[in-house]
């Protein structure tokens, strides 16, 4: 019987493979969430660099009183990464949810990024 980590790793690899195949050169909006924080990065795989990023570990977000473990913090991070991406000249991205289900904090971050000007 496969372990939970093994299943998540297979799901993550399968998703990344599909994203690379269908991305058409667009940057990837990658999401990582833990029990306490959420992070989002806009990664340009063609050049191997991070275009924009946002996290609940940033001082400005922490001072706003957000813990990172709720939907409100994910919404703030989604808007922040979208604002930074648009400032860097990126409007179309591919959403990489990793091994996480499109639900809760991941969904809130994605919807806030769309409201902020990104399309995926």
């Amino acid at each position: 019987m496969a372990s939970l980590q093994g299943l998540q790793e297979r799901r993550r690899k399968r998703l990344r493979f599909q994203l690379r195949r269908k991305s058409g050169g667009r940057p990837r909006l990658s999401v990582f969430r833990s029990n306490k924080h959420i992070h989002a990065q806009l990664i340009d795989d063609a050049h191997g660099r991070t275009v924009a990023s946002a996290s609940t570990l940033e001082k400005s977000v922490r001072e706003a009183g957000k813990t990172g473990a709720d939907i409100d913090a994910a919404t703030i991070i989604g808007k922040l990464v979208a604002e930074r991406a648009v400032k860097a000249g990126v409007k179309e991205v591919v959403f990489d949810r990793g091994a996480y289900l499109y639900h809760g904090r991941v969904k809130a971050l994605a919807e806030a990024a769309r409201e902020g000007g990104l399309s995926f």
Side-chain angles (χ1 to χ4, degrees):
M1 182 164 211
S3 68
L4 180 62
Q5 286 179 331
L7 292 174
Q8 287 178 337
E9 185 65 26
R10 282 179 40 204
R11 184 185 305 156
R12 188 177 299 116
K13 285 182 180 181
R14 183 175 60 234
L15 181 69
R16 294 244 168 88
F17 175 76
Q18 292 295 327
L19 287 176
R20 276 192 211 106
R21 235 176 80 208
K22 298 174 183 177
S23 71
R26 293 180 290 177
R28 172 169 54 102
L29 178 60
S30 178
V31 176
F32 173 77
R33 69 172 174 82
S34 68
N35 289 337
K36 294 183 179 181
H37 298 286
I38 191 159
H39 312 271
Q41 285 186 356
L42 194 63
I43 304 165
D44 185 2
D45 288 320
H47 296 102
R49 67 182 187 95
T50 301
V51 178
S53 66
S55 170
T56 53
L57 292 171
E58 294 178 11
K59 192 173 185 178
S60 62
V61 177
R62 281 186 295 153
E63 288 174 351
K66 295 297 174 191
T67 64
D70 59 358
I71 290 176
D72 295 333
T75 303
I76 289 171
I77 296 303
K79 288 179 182 174
L80 194 58
V81 77
E83 174 187 316
R84 292 175 182 174
V86 170
K87 198 178 288 184
V90 177
K91 293 196 182 237
E92 289 192 5
V93 298
V94 176
F95 188 68
D96 178 8
R97 60 181 172 78
Y100 310 114
L101 297 177
Y102 188 79
H103 179 75
R105 290 188 286 160
V106 175
K107 182 178 179 182
L109 189 143
E111 290 173 352
R114 280 192 187 106
E115 290 174 10
L118 293 180
S119 69
F120 50 91

